[in-house]
Amino acid sequence: MEKHEKLRPIIAQVIENIEKVIIGKRDIATLSVVALLAEGHVLLEDVPGVGKTMLVRALARSVSANFKRIQFTPDLLPSDVTGVSIYNPKNMQFEYKPGPIMGNIILADEINRTSPKTQSALLEAMEEGNITIDGTTRPLPRPFFVMATQNPIEYEGTYPLPEAQLDRFLLKMRMGYPAILEEIEILSRAKKIPPIQELQPVITVEELNVLQQKVKDVYVDDTIKRYIVEIVQRSRTFSSVYLGVSPRGSIALMKAAQAYAFVHDRDFVIPDDVQFLAPYVLSHRIILKSEAKFDGVTAEDVVAGILERTSVPIQR
Amino acid sequence: MNGTQRTIKVFFLNLLAFWLLWEWLVPLKTVSDTGNIYVFTVFVAGCLGLSFLGVRFWLGALIKSIYIFYMLNMLFFQKPFFSLNWVVDLTNTVVHNFYFLMNLQFAEMMDSFRSLLFFLLLWVSVYLLRYWLFVEKRLFLFYAMTVGYVAVLDTFTAYQGKGAIMRLVVGGFLLLSWLHYERLVEKEKLLSANRTWWKPFIFFASVSLLIGYTAPKLQPQWPDPVPFIKSYTGGGEEEEEGKEPVVKKIGYGTNDSRLGGPFVADDTVVFYAEAKKRHYWRVETKDIYTGKGWEASESVEIRTFERENDVLKWFEESVDNETLTAKVIFKRPYSHLVYPIGLTALIAFGGVVFRLHAANEKIYATDRESHVVRLGEYEMTYEYPSFSVEKLRQVPVVQDSELLQRYTQLPSDLPERVKELAQQITKGKGNQYDKVKAIEQYFSFNGYFYETKEVAVPSEQEDYVDQFLFETKKGYCDNFSTSMTVLLRSVGIPARWVKGYTSGQLVNSEENGMNVYEITNNNAHSWVEVYFQGIGWVPFEPTKGFTNPYRFTEQSLQAAPTPMPQNVQPEQQRKLFNEEKKRVSTPSTGLLQSIKTFFASLSLKNMVLFLGSLAASVYVLYKARRKWWPFLTILSFKIFRSEQTFIKAYLSLLKHLDDYGLKRRKAQSLRDYAAYVDEWFASDEMSRLTLLYEKAIYRKTPIEKEWDKVKELWENLIKKTVS
């Protein structure tokens, strides 16, 4: 617990670091850290140029971790991601050349620009925690954190991720455009050296591993579990929903809530954690009915509707 | 508020002030020898009137002084006012009395000087009262003092404060709420305040008045305080026979004309008796039953004797007697003596004469000049009787018509059912003795039980005996003995009511076979004596839990007389005792009984009034629940320190805030709601409390350490919503 206490302020520093680079996006910074602590992965969905890459880089830099970036293109092959075994004529053997996935923090840029085959290579690695090349299973380094970005699917020349694969991501979030004052601030910072260069690592990989273990100790009361389940169950019966949230979604919500409570220096989860995280954890796990889509209903609206209908537990 | 309105308001406040002071003056007539109260009343009215009219201070003082001097002259000196001769007299008086005053010789002061001081006191009081009313706008202390004053006078003196109390409830609360309103207007600088404060006031005043008026009132819980305090502090017994205390209260005292009501245990020792046998000690008998209690017939006949009792005849020769001696040592002598039946001689030091009041058989010791002497101790010889049941059964019907008339007296309005009951009990009993025994034992088997606390007093329409026999069925010796006497009289058997003491507690056995008994006030008792032709007055004991100390022997057992009184077999007695205990230990029976009694004692009109006001109060309590419920919860919160209490309290707070208007959507998290509440109250208390609550329910952490904090936060929040 002592170590734990010492490590806690580091989280605040990580968030602070990100905020130095990404102006006015504290929620996004916090959510990124939450995902990192909960050993989940993040899907960042937004138009180009709002700082998606910058966010991941800031996070990677704060953790003195092995940062890898994969720029997905239509012609990228799975082996370009996972690595490949190459015949070494010297010792007459195939040798494994690690791909960019062998890192701690991976930025999978524009994941929807590549072929589904390549996408699934990445997603499988995210789910399994290891990769299999030529019959050999190789563990991925720990921590292993993927932050994938994608342009909104209505843009041309993209391969939208299948819904089933989307729920490999713990969170899906949008950066959104900065506010006026924030954008002005961005402009003034752009003159100097990019702030990303000045960021100092504040946490080691080992410490991060410890924190990830600690997050699992965050207490989740039965009342909270019930609350989570109620929310998830409601998503399955919601009128405009074609397919609701799977139990994997419930687990994700609980894990994220634990991490979120941890970030807020609490060793137990409260309904507010769940409420805050539900849109990020659940929206990409819901498939809407087509008529609802035509009506302009979004998954976020549905999650908000569910939360508004679910009573918060206020007693044992 | 315009000028006229203000004037009217000030006028009414002055009127109320006058009335409050008047309440102080009125009882003086009754409780002291103050005469001419009107002089002071006019003075008070004048003082208030002068200041109301805005007369300058010096002019007002002049007028008041002239009034005082004029009245003093008129009352005490009766000299022409303008001759100024009286000024000299007054000056002399003042100088003299000032000397007394300085030497604390208050009793020496003359009436004129006292009146002068009283005038000055009233002057100051009026000034103070005006200050409280118009400057401070607070009158509670004075009001409380007035109520206390009236209550004390009502309780301890002959002054009847019922009307005054009712006036005080209405007028006093009117004044208090008015002043409170005025204070609020002033403090909050309200220009157009809500003037409907009088609506709830009228409601509450009338409801409380109604309830107070219709509700049954407890008898004074304290006996007459003067003897009580004296006996408590060990001061001399000042009771003088023939001189009734100035203060008489129903249900207490030497006076038995109104019986009933609870009594309080008092173990003050009255006397010690040195005697061979256990028996009762008589003080007096009474013969006239009034329907409410006992009175002695109005006879002034007094018979005297010096040593041998040749005035009070006890038993005919047919009764077996054992001659015994006894000695009585009074702890604090009374003027009357205590003696056993069969008294033959009284022996005391210093030539005293014993006087026997024929009407009630009370014996006093006097000196030769007929001054009452309080004997500290005296000895006596007496015949201790042993009654033969056989002989008692054989006695003929009482022939002596004078005696029969005197001792079968009953009030004309005695309810028929009492007589019917007496007939029913004695039905089939061939002789007087069996009838008497049947009535005596009737109380043992028919649900009567001994009780000193919850004993009813008959109302104006009720008969004391009837109430006990048919309604309440519980009481102490007076209830049992009076009822037995009345039942006996109903079937024509001469009987009388006897007061005295039981045999007391054995404290020492001496070698010569004498026992020392300690008799306390708790041993005060009453029982029954029945006249048997050819035998005399035979004592009987109807009270449950008591046994007749005198012997009744059956012919067949005469060879080996049982010392045990036969009227109640030991086994039976034990059974009865257990039964009684059982009854006593079941409070619900008692409560139910008392509720029943209470309702039975209400007339239909009162019942409607009572139920109406009860319903109204319940409704008001329900309506105002938001005002008082939190304080109850706060209290429970203070008492029960548990997690569960915290949760309950927090939830009730939520409900309370909801009622207050701060609605929480059911999907809103507590933290979010707390922020909303705090924003409303511009504080952070709800959030702080909610943090603790979250810990309690989502973390299940004991909050024992933070309890005080929790309590304080919670209390503050509740108070915010109430205010």
Side-chain angles (χ1 to χ4, degrees), chain B residues 552-572:
Chain B
F552 290 76
T553 50
E554 298 268 5
Q555 196 82 47
S556 52
L557 297 169
Q558 222 161 28
T562 358
M564 191 57 70
Q566 291 192 322
N567 51 347
V568 184
Q569 296 296 321
E571 212 174 318
Q572 202 177 31

PDB file of all heavy atoms in Angstrom, chain B residues 552-572:
ATOM      1  N   PHE B 552     -60.858 -15.167  65.037  1.00  0.00           N
ATOM      2  CA  PHE B 552     -62.221 -15.682  64.937  1.00  0.00           C
ATOM      3  C   PHE B 552     -62.117 -17.185  65.107  1.00  0.00           C
ATOM      4  O   PHE B 552     -61.427 -17.837  64.335  1.00  0.00           O
ATOM      5  CB  PHE B 552     -62.819 -15.357  63.560  1.00  0.00           C
ATOM      6  CG  PHE B 552     -63.105 -13.889  63.375  1.00  0.00           C
ATOM      7  CD1 PHE B 552     -62.080 -12.993  63.129  1.00  0.00           C
ATOM      8  CD2 PHE B 552     -64.394 -13.415  63.458  1.00  0.00           C
ATOM      9  CE1 PHE B 552     -62.338 -11.656  62.964  1.00  0.00           C
ATOM     10  CE2 PHE B 552     -64.659 -12.072  63.294  1.00  0.00           C
ATOM     11  CZ  PHE B 552     -63.642 -11.181  63.047  1.00  0.00           C
ATOM     12  N   THR B 553     -62.746 -17.724  66.128  1.00  0.00           N
ATOM     13  CA  THR B 553     -62.589 -19.156  66.390  1.00  0.00           C
ATOM     14  C   THR B 553     -63.886 -19.903  66.110  1.00  0.00           C
ATOM     15  O   THR B 553     -64.965 -19.446  66.456  1.00  0.00           O
ATOM     16  CB  THR B 553     -62.187 -19.408  67.857  1.00  0.00           C
ATOM     17  OG1 THR B 553     -63.091 -18.689  68.696  1.00  0.00           O
ATOM     18  CG2 THR B 553     -60.783 -18.941  68.101  1.00  0.00           C
ATOM     19  N   GLU B 554     -63.721 -21.047  65.484  1.00  0.00           N
ATOM     20  CA  GLU B 554     -64.856 -21.939  65.243  1.00  0.00           C
ATOM     21  C   GLU B 554     -65.008 -22.819  66.469  1.00  0.00           C
ATOM     22  O   GLU B 554     -64.023 -23.184  67.123  1.00  0.00           O
ATOM     23  CB  GLU B 554     -64.577 -22.814  64.005  1.00  0.00           C
ATOM     24  CG  GLU B 554     -64.400 -22.043  62.723  1.00  0.00           C
ATOM     25  CD  GLU B 554     -65.703 -21.873  61.969  1.00  0.00           C
ATOM     26  OE1 GLU B 554     -66.764 -22.268  62.484  1.00  0.00           O
ATOM     27  OE2 GLU B 554     -65.650 -21.314  60.852  1.00  0.00           O
ATOM     28  N   GLN B 555     -66.236 -23.195  66.774  1.00  0.00           N
ATOM     29  CA  GLN B 555     -66.506 -23.987  67.971  1.00  0.00           C
ATOM     30  C   GLN B 555     -65.675 -25.266  67.976  1.00  0.00           C
ATOM     31  O   GLN B 555     -65.035 -25.601  68.951  1.00  0.00           O
ATOM     32  CB  GLN B 555     -67.987 -24.353  68.016  1.00  0.00           C
ATOM     33  CG  GLN B 555     -68.467 -24.840  69.356  1.00  0.00           C
ATOM     34  CD  GLN B 555     -68.758 -23.658  70.275  1.00  0.00           C
ATOM     35  OE1 GLN B 555     -69.416 -22.704  69.883  1.00  0.00           O
ATOM     36  NE2 GLN B 555     -68.235 -23.683  71.495  1.00  0.00           N
ATOM     37  N   SER B 556     -65.692 -25.949  66.874  1.00  0.00           N
ATOM     38  CA  SER B 556     -65.051 -27.249  66.803  1.00  0.00           C
ATOM     39  C   SER B 556     -63.548 -27.154  67.007  1.00  0.00           C
ATOM     40  O   SER B 556     -62.902 -28.094  67.397  1.00  0.00           O
ATOM     41  CB  SER B 556     -65.341 -27.901  65.455  1.00  0.00           C
ATOM     42  OG  SER B 556     -65.006 -26.977  64.438  1.00  0.00           O
ATOM     43  N   LEU B 557     -62.994 -26.013  66.710  1.00  0.00           N
ATOM     44  CA  LEU B 557     -61.548 -25.887  66.793  1.00  0.00           C
ATOM     45  C   LEU B 557     -61.109 -25.207  68.080  1.00  0.00           C
ATOM     46  O   LEU B 557     -59.958 -24.892  68.256  1.00  0.00           O
ATOM     47  CB  LEU B 557     -61.026 -25.077  65.598  1.00  0.00           C
ATOM     48  CG  LEU B 557     -61.260 -25.721  64.230  1.00  0.00           C
ATOM     49  CD1 LEU B 557     -60.947 -24.716  63.146  1.00  0.00           C
ATOM     50  CD2 LEU B 557     -60.410 -26.969  64.081  1.00  0.00           C
ATOM     51  N   GLN B 558     -62.123 -24.984  68.953  1.00  0.00           N
ATOM     52  CA  GLN B 558     -61.800 -24.166  70.105  1.00  0.00           C
ATOM     53  C   GLN B 558     -60.730 -24.781  70.987  1.00  0.00           C
ATOM     54  O   GLN B 558     -59.970 -24.074  71.631  1.00  0.00           O
ATOM     55  CB  GLN B 558     -63.056 -23.919  70.924  1.00  0.00           C
ATOM     56  CG  GLN B 558     -63.108 -22.480  71.381  1.00  0.00           C
ATOM     57  CD  GLN B 558     -64.517 -22.095  71.769  1.00  0.00           C
ATOM     58  OE1 GLN B 558     -65.310 -22.946  72.179  1.00  0.00           O
ATOM     59  NE2 GLN B 558     -64.823 -20.835  71.655  1.00  0.00           N
ATOM     60  N   ALA B 559     -60.663 -26.105  70.999  1.00  0.00           N
ATOM     61  CA  ALA B 559     -59.649 -26.772  71.807  1.00  0.00           C
ATOM     62  C   ALA B 559     -58.247 -26.353  71.392  1.00  0.00           C
ATOM     63  O   ALA B 559     -57.367 -26.152  72.210  1.00  0.00           O
ATOM     64  CB  ALA B 559     -59.796 -28.283  71.685  1.00  0.00           C
ATOM     65  N   ALA B 560     -58.073 -26.249  70.117  1.00  0.00           N
ATOM     66  CA  ALA B 560     -56.755 -25.802  69.640  1.00  0.00           C
ATOM     67  C   ALA B 560     -56.945 -24.618  68.714  1.00  0.00           C
ATOM     68  O   ALA B 560     -57.036 -24.778  67.510  1.00  0.00           O
ATOM     69  CB  ALA B 560     -56.044 -26.945  68.898  1.00  0.00           C
ATOM     70  N   PRO B 561     -57.072 -23.446  69.300  1.00  0.00           N
ATOM     71  CA  PRO B 561     -57.404 -22.288  68.468  1.00  0.00           C
ATOM     72  C   PRO B 561     -56.283 -21.988  67.461  1.00  0.00           C
ATOM     73  O   PRO B 561     -55.110 -21.999  67.819  1.00  0.00           O
ATOM     74  CB  PRO B 561     -57.545 -21.145  69.478  1.00  0.00           C
ATOM     75  CG  PRO B 561     -57.108 -21.679  70.792  1.00  0.00           C
ATOM     76  CD  PRO B 561     -56.796 -23.125  70.686  1.00  0.00           C
ATOM     77  N   THR B 562     -56.705 -21.803  66.262  1.00  0.00           N
ATOM     78  CA  THR B 562     -55.716 -21.469  65.230  1.00  0.00           C
ATOM     79  C   THR B 562     -55.384 -19.990  65.346  1.00  0.00           C
ATOM     80  O   THR B 562     -56.278 -19.157  65.417  1.00  0.00           O
ATOM     81  CB  THR B 562     -56.288 -21.687  63.820  1.00  0.00           C
ATOM     82  OG1 THR B 562     -57.600 -22.196  63.972  1.00  0.00           O
ATOM     83  CG2 THR B 562     -55.432 -22.597  63.004  1.00  0.00           C
ATOM     84  N   PRO B 563     -54.132 -19.710  65.368  1.00  0.00           N
ATOM     85  CA  PRO B 563     -53.782 -18.291  65.402  1.00  0.00           C
ATOM     86  C   PRO B 563     -54.057 -17.615  64.049  1.00  0.00           C
ATOM     87  O   PRO B 563     -54.207 -16.420  63.963  1.00  0.00           O
ATOM     88  CB  PRO B 563     -52.293 -18.289  65.706  1.00  0.00           C
ATOM     89  CG  PRO B 563     -51.790 -19.619  65.234  1.00  0.00           C
ATOM     90  CD  PRO B 563     -52.947 -20.569  65.333  1.00  0.00           C
ATOM     91  N   MET B 564     -54.109 -18.476  63.030  1.00  0.00           N
ATOM     92  CA  MET B 564     -54.291 -17.923  61.690  1.00  0.00           C
ATOM     93  C   MET B 564     -55.721 -17.425  61.512  1.00  0.00           C
ATOM     94  O   MET B 564     -56.656 -18.138  61.843  1.00  0.00           O
ATOM     95  CB  MET B 564     -53.992 -19.031  60.676  1.00  0.00           C
ATOM     96  CG  MET B 564     -53.868 -18.550  59.238  1.00  0.00           C
ATOM     97  SD  MET B 564     -52.623 -17.293  59.060  1.00  0.00           S
ATOM     98  CE  MET B 564     -51.174 -18.294  59.321  1.00  0.00           C
ATOM     99  N   PRO B 565     -55.932 -16.247  61.061  1.00  0.00           N
ATOM    100  CA  PRO B 565     -57.298 -15.803  60.808  1.00  0.00           C
ATOM    101  C   PRO B 565     -57.935 -16.705  59.769  1.00  0.00           C
ATOM    102  O   PRO B 565     -57.301 -17.131  58.812  1.00  0.00           O
ATOM    103  CB  PRO B 565     -57.128 -14.391  60.277  1.00  0.00           C
ATOM    104  CG  PRO B 565     -55.697 -14.275  59.880  1.00  0.00           C
ATOM    105  CD  PRO B 565     -54.948 -15.270  60.686  1.00  0.00           C
ATOM    106  N   GLN B 566     -59.201 -17.006  60.022  1.00  0.00           N
ATOM    107  CA  GLN B 566     -59.794 -18.047  59.209  1.00  0.00           C
ATOM    108  C   GLN B 566     -60.496 -17.552  57.974  1.00  0.00           C
ATOM    109  O   GLN B 566     -60.889 -18.326  57.128  1.00  0.00           O
ATOM    110  CB  GLN B 566     -60.802 -18.818  60.056  1.00  0.00           C
ATOM    111  CG  GLN B 566     -60.089 -19.632  61.112  1.00  0.00           C
ATOM    112  CD  GLN B 566     -61.016 -20.586  61.744  1.00  0.00           C
ATOM    113  OE1 GLN B 566     -62.172 -20.261  61.962  1.00  0.00           O
ATOM    114  NE2 GLN B 566     -60.530 -21.776  62.045  1.00  0.00           N
ATOM    115  N   ASN B 567     -60.651 -16.279  57.927  1.00  0.00           N
ATOM    116  CA  ASN B 567     -61.448 -15.809  56.804  1.00  0.00           C
ATOM    117  C   ASN B 567     -60.767 -16.072  55.474  1.00  0.00           C
ATOM    118  O   ASN B 567     -61.396 -16.281  54.459  1.00  0.00           O
ATOM    119  CB  ASN B 567     -61.785 -14.332  56.946  1.00  0.00           C
ATOM    120  CG  ASN B 567     -60.552 -13.511  57.221  1.00  0.00           C
ATOM    121  OD1 ASN B 567     -59.501 -14.067  57.543  1.00  0.00           O
ATOM    122  ND2 ASN B 567     -60.660 -12.219  57.108  1.00  0.00           N
ATOM    123  N   VAL B 568     -59.458 -16.070  55.501  1.00  0.00           N
ATOM    124  CA  VAL B 568     -58.741 -16.363  54.265  1.00  0.00           C
ATOM    125  C   VAL B 568     -57.777 -17.491  54.557  1.00  0.00           C
ATOM    126  O   VAL B 568     -56.901 -17.359  55.404  1.00  0.00           O
ATOM    127  CB  VAL B 568     -57.966 -15.142  53.759  1.00  0.00           C
ATOM    128  CG1 VAL B 568     -57.315 -15.456  52.425  1.00  0.00           C
ATOM    129  CG2 VAL B 568     -58.886 -13.945  53.628  1.00  0.00           C
ATOM    130  N   GLN B 569     -57.953 -18.617  53.902  1.00  0.00           N
ATOM    131  CA  GLN B 569     -57.041 -19.726  54.091  1.00  0.00           C
ATOM    132  C   GLN B 569     -55.694 -19.379  53.477  1.00  0.00           C
ATOM    133  O   GLN B 569     -55.627 -18.716  52.456  1.00  0.00           O
ATOM    134  CB  GLN B 569     -57.610 -20.985  53.411  1.00  0.00           C
ATOM    135  CG  GLN B 569     -58.910 -21.474  54.015  1.00  0.00           C
ATOM    136  CD  GLN B 569     -58.740 -21.919  55.454  1.00  0.00           C
ATOM    137  OE1 GLN B 569     -57.747 -22.531  55.789  1.00  0.00           O
ATOM    138  NE2 GLN B 569     -59.708 -21.598  56.305  1.00  0.00           N
ATOM    139  N   PRO B 570     -54.606 -19.846  54.143  1.00  0.00           N
ATOM    140  CA  PRO B 570     -53.290 -19.460  53.659  1.00  0.00           C
ATOM    141  C   PRO B 570     -53.060 -19.778  52.188  1.00  0.00           C
ATOM    142  O   PRO B 570     -52.543 -18.958  51.442  1.00  0.00           O
ATOM    143  CB  PRO B 570     -52.321 -20.256  54.533  1.00  0.00           C
ATOM    144  CG  PRO B 570     -53.120 -20.906  55.585  1.00  0.00           C
ATOM    145  CD  PRO B 570     -54.557 -20.670  55.337  1.00  0.00           C
ATOM    146  N   GLU B 571     -53.509 -20.986  51.835  1.00  0.00           N
ATOM    147  CA  GLU B 571     -53.259 -21.398  50.459  1.00  0.00           C
ATOM    148  C   GLU B 571     -53.966 -20.467  49.485  1.00  0.00           C
ATOM    149  O   GLU B 571     -53.416 -19.977  48.513  1.00  0.00           O
ATOM    150  CB  GLU B 571     -53.755 -22.817  50.264  1.00  0.00           C
ATOM    151  CG  GLU B 571     -52.943 -23.605  49.267  1.00  0.00           C
ATOM    152  CD  GLU B 571     -53.421 -25.038  49.266  1.00  0.00           C
ATOM    153  OE1 GLU B 571     -53.679 -25.576  50.362  1.00  0.00           O
ATOM    154  OE2 GLU B 571     -53.539 -25.601  48.187  1.00  0.00           O
ATOM    155  N   GLN B 572     -55.213 -20.251  49.858  1.00  0.00           N
ATOM    156  CA  GLN B 572     -56.037 -19.393  49.047  1.00  0.00           C
ATOM    157  C   GLN B 572     -55.421 -18.004  48.942  1.00  0.00           C
ATOM    158  O   GLN B 572     -55.361 -17.399  47.885  1.00  0.00           O
ATOM    159  CB  GLN B 572     -57.386 -19.291  49.733  1.00  0.00           C
ATOM    160  CG  GLN B 572     -58.503 -18.892  48.833  1.00  0.00           C
ATOM    161  CD  GLN B 572     -59.789 -18.899  49.618  1.00  0.00           C
ATOM    162  OE1 GLN B 572     -59.795 -18.644  50.812  1.00  0.00           O
ATOM    163  NE2 GLN B 572     -60.858 -19.201  48.949  1.00  0.00           N
TER     164      GLN B 572
END
